[in-house]
Amino acid sequence: MTDHAMDAPLRPAGLVNAEQGVLGKSISRIEGPAKVSGAATYAYEQAPHGALYAAIVGTPVGAGEITGIDIARAEAVPGVVAVLHGDKRMPVGEANSRAMPTFAGSRVFHVGQPVAIVVAETQEVAKEAASLVAVTIDADQGRYDPRDQPVDKAPGIGFLPAIAKGDLDAALSDAAVTFDETYTTPIHFPAAMEPHATTIWWEGNRLIVRTSNQVIGAAAKTIAKALDIDDSRVRVLAPFVGGGFGGKTGVGPEVIFAAIAAEATGRPVKIALPRAQTAYLVHHRSDTVQRLRIGCDDDGNITAFAHESVAAQNDDGEFLEPVPFGSLPLYKGEVRHFKTDAVWVDLPATGAVRAPGEAVGTFAVECAMDELAERLGRDPIDFRKLNEPDVDPMNGTRFSTRRMIDCYDEGARRFGWNPQAPGSVREGEWLIGTGMAAALRGNFTVEAAARVTLGADGRASVETDMTDIGTGTYTILAQTVAESLGLAIADVDVVIGDSDLPKSAGSGGSFGAGSSCAAAALACEDILTELARRMNASADELRLKDGCVRAAGREARIAELVRGDPIIVDAKTGPGEETRQTSQASHGAQFVEVAVNAVTGEVRVRRMVGIFDIGRVLNRKTAANQLIGGMVWGIAYALSEEAIVDPRNGRFVNPDFGEYHVAVNADVPQIEVDFIEEIDDSANPAGAKGVGELGISGAGAAVANAIYNATGIRIRDFPVTLDKLLGGLPEM
């Protein structure tokens, strides 16, 4: 095992000396044929013989104490094998973004809280029988409206502590120009295409769990702890995951219930949460209320910056939406205040959904920057450039790489940035407007391991428990190893999604690609050292391409150098001194053109351009795909996504795709994405920074700013639905 901490900038020899030219190219996903042909196996498919189907029974009310569970009618349904409840290992709380749920309690935290599992010969029977289980509750008055609860200013949860740098009141009092506005965002669901599904069975004394999960190494430990068995007795498989968006980072309660059912019945068990039930058993993004206060001088130099928010959580939750996370290093300002207070509710848990903090925090920050730019009579881009920091304004730390201004300039050029006065551009009954916003997502270095094997035939394989949730993990790992060892993509096998493999941090937080590829690159570096020894040369002398190694005028096939005995290297990477000495983030600029119908208030996004700084681009196609996905989500956040709670009973009014409106093809224009590429040697050995969560950052704010430019109507309560526009639209 080669173990590297990032104590100094490190670029593996393979990424310097290889001449294969595949890294960074727009290579289509190597697992694509398996997906389109149906050969890719997802969590709910190909169960072992004799599998049962399961359904979860949830509480009918949202607050109180469970006093009884009557299963008689459910057990009487033909085809029902078992109705299980009361096992102390059954969780009553969601896994959320943390590892462990809460167990063995009678308290009700929210509607739909799991209390029993029905297993039957068919899915239809399991669902019918679950509806017949009677749960009686001594109900309490629930706290169902986050906006109507007292604010806890010291919640004691969350990973982002309050930050207060300087005297805010004094700085705002002294400022020549001040800004003070409040913005709100609603509850958002992580609506993945593949449902939260699991197929689970016992092989001897070992539990096999094929599940739709983003972080399977942690999942195996969670399941083992919940069942009170040794970690080695749990194997989690997730070779293909159909989207996660943060909602699949933890182990859902249905997985533990299904494991208990498989144990009790001695048969495999399959479970897939219906969409409506997903809203209650999977964490969501919190409702937020955000206050932005900014002070600046007459020229527009920011002197004070405060982003103070309120987010919701239930009494079982340990996560709190880090609303100002993306604001911390974004703009200048000597005086800086950031915090998130809490309100406590009797609703399902909130948790980390794609780009926690930045996705909703940028609505407030980037709309506020546009509003303030207008008050100062400055172009929005010029105002942002004026307040671009030279070092991290929180602590003076140098940036590893930061190409934000280049993103502004290239985006403005590509988009044709030339904003007109609000409400001044018309095409018939359509009002036309343009808007922009900055994008930022913090970059993280995390521990990750990979095993690379160079076989006797000259082919290579890379193994890690990393997952591919639609992000292109298979392909970028193949590209990294192929580039490092001078091989064709077709000569690299990628094996992932198995908790028995070397441990990664999984998919989440935008750290998966950089960390797992860095570990693979480091393993390849040690293989190159061995190949160099066999060539009687130094690693720096090697040149690799098309399965051949050249050094000092000599050339050999890789297969010849392997000499029939595979070279196997395990490598591990993680944060070190270089991580602590730099401020790391991915950056970007979003540009949008909208048309707003002056009669109906309908909003159509007509053009969207994003330019991004993500360090080394491992694969232009998959990176652009990730960014476009985030930008599409930003459109939906701006215009339609809003989970609505009935304040009388704590139920979601719109828990499925019929009423929770994600963006569809008709809502999305042609989106243009490109990169300002600079390899970030401080980020990790691969030189790559996070991509997956950057695209949603700023995207919704750019849409909102364009709507204002089109109509002259500033909406601060999102989403921007037509009812909020109709009253202020100009006369035709």
Side-chain angles (χ1 to χ4, degrees), residues 304-597:
F305 195 102
H307 189 181
E308 298 162 316
S309 309
V310 178
Q313 184 56 281
N314 70 27
D315 290 339
D316 179 50
E318 294 182 358
F319 176 92
L320 192 65
E321 183 76 20
V323 180
F325 191 60
S327 314
L328 301 179
L330 193 50
Y331 298 113
K332 290 179 180 177
E334 183 66 26
V335 176
R336 313 179 69 76
H337 280 226
F338 304 93
K339 67 171 183 173
T340 303
D341 297 329
V343 293
W344 304 102
V345 292
D346 297 310
L347 297 174
T350 65
V353 178
R354 192 175 192 174
E358 292 100 336
V360 289
T362 51
F363 270 103
V365 171
E366 291 304 297
C367 288
M369 289 295 287
D370 261 45
E371 292 196 60
L372 188 50
E374 184 179 46
R375 294 184 191 182
L376 292 163
R378 300 191 69 112
D379 178 90
I381 295 179
D382 292 340
F383 180 48
R384 287 172 171 82
K385 285 183 176 181
L386 177 67
N387 289 288
E388 173 72 1
D390 298 320
V391 296
D392 191 316
M394 296 303 302
N395 52 26
T397 303
R398 66 180 172 88
F399 295 119
S400 57
T401 61
R402 180 164 169 135
R403 303 292 296 276
M404 184 74 88
I405 288 179
D406 294 322
C407 291
Y408 292 147
D409 290 343
E410 180 62 13
R413 185 189 71 79
R414 295 279 189 96
F415 185 78
W417 179 251
N418 184 29
Q420 304 300 305
S424 65
V425 180
R426 290 177 179 251
E427 293 180 4
E429 64 182 35
W430 294 92
L431 303 167
I432 311 302
T434 57
M436 60 81 56
L440 182 144
R441 170 62 183 172
N443 185 69
F444 305 95
T445 301
V446 297
E447 290 189 357
R451 177 181 302 122
V452 176
T453 300
L454 187 57
D457 57 358
R459 291 179 57 83
S461 67
V462 55
E463 299 170 286
T464 171
D465 77 354
M466 180 66 182
T467 52
D468 191 327
I469 60 174
T471 50
T473 302
Y474 280 98
T475 309
I476 60 174
L477 279 170
Q479 286 176 271
T480 299
V481 173
E483 186 74 17
S484 297
L485 299 181
L487 300 174
I489 292 287
D491 290 331
V492 180
D493 298 317
V494 181
V495 183
I496 62 174
D498 183 338
S499 64
D500 281 353
L501 298 175
K503 306 303 180 188
S504 74
S507 299
S510 291
F511 47 63
S515 300
S516 59
C517 288
L522 289 169
C524 290
E525 185 178 51
D526 283 2
I527 291 175
L528 292 178
T529 299
E530 177 60 22
L531 293 178
R533 186 187 68 79
R534 298 181 185 189
M535 285 284 287
N536 195 26
S538 69
D540 291 341
E541 294 180 88
L542 298 187
R543 292 295 181 269
L544 301 100
K545 186 176 182 181
D546 297 333
C548 292
V549 183
R550 301 190 313 277
R554 290 170 284 115
E555 181 174 303
R557 300 290 300 175
I558 288 178
E560 297 171 6
L561 294 175
V562 176
R563 301 170 184 168
D565 189 12
I567 303 172
I568 304 172
V569 175
D570 282 60
K572 180 179 179 181
T573 187
E577 191 61 33
E578 183 68 13
T579 301
R580 292 185 286 271
Q581 290 180 351
T582 56
S583 176
Q584 299 179 11
S586 300
H587 309 95
Q590 310 258 23
F591 294 81
V592 171
E593 178 184 298
V594 302
V596 182
N597 191 285

Side-chain angles (χ1 to χ4, degrees), residues 255-343:
V255 179
I256 309 301
F257 274 73
I260 293 170
E263 178 186 64
T265 61
R267 293 170 63 178
V269 171
K270 298 176 61 158
I271 187 165
L273 295 182
R275 291 291 175 187
Q277 199 168 41
T278 300
Y280 298 101
L281 296 186
V282 177
H283 67 252
H284 57 259
R285 195 192 303 280
S286 172
D287 170 285
T288 73
V289 178
Q290 307 177 44
R291 184 184 184 188
L292 258 291
R293 289 185 284 173
I294 306 172
C296 58
D297 63 23
D298 288 320
D299 294 326
N301 294 291
I302 294 175
T303 56
F305 195 102
H307 189 181
E308 298 162 316
S309 309
V310 178
Q313 184 56 281
N314 70 27
D315 290 339
D316 179 50
E318 294 182 358
F319 176 92
L320 192 65
E321 183 76 20
V323 180
F325 191 60
S327 314
L328 301 179
L330 193 50
Y331 298 113
K332 290 179 180 177
E334 183 66 26
V335 176
R336 313 179 69 76
H337 280 226
F338 304 93
K339 67 171 183 173
T340 303
D341 297 329
V343 293

Side-chain angles (χ1 to χ4, degrees), residues 600-620:
T600 66
E602 177 190 354
V603 178
R604 295 181 182 174
V605 178
R606 305 207 307 185
R607 288 193 298 137
M608 201 165 187
V609 174
I611 305 295
F612 301 99
D613 153 34
I614 61 170
R616 184 196 291 272
V617 181
L618 298 170
N619 182 316
R620 298 186 73 84

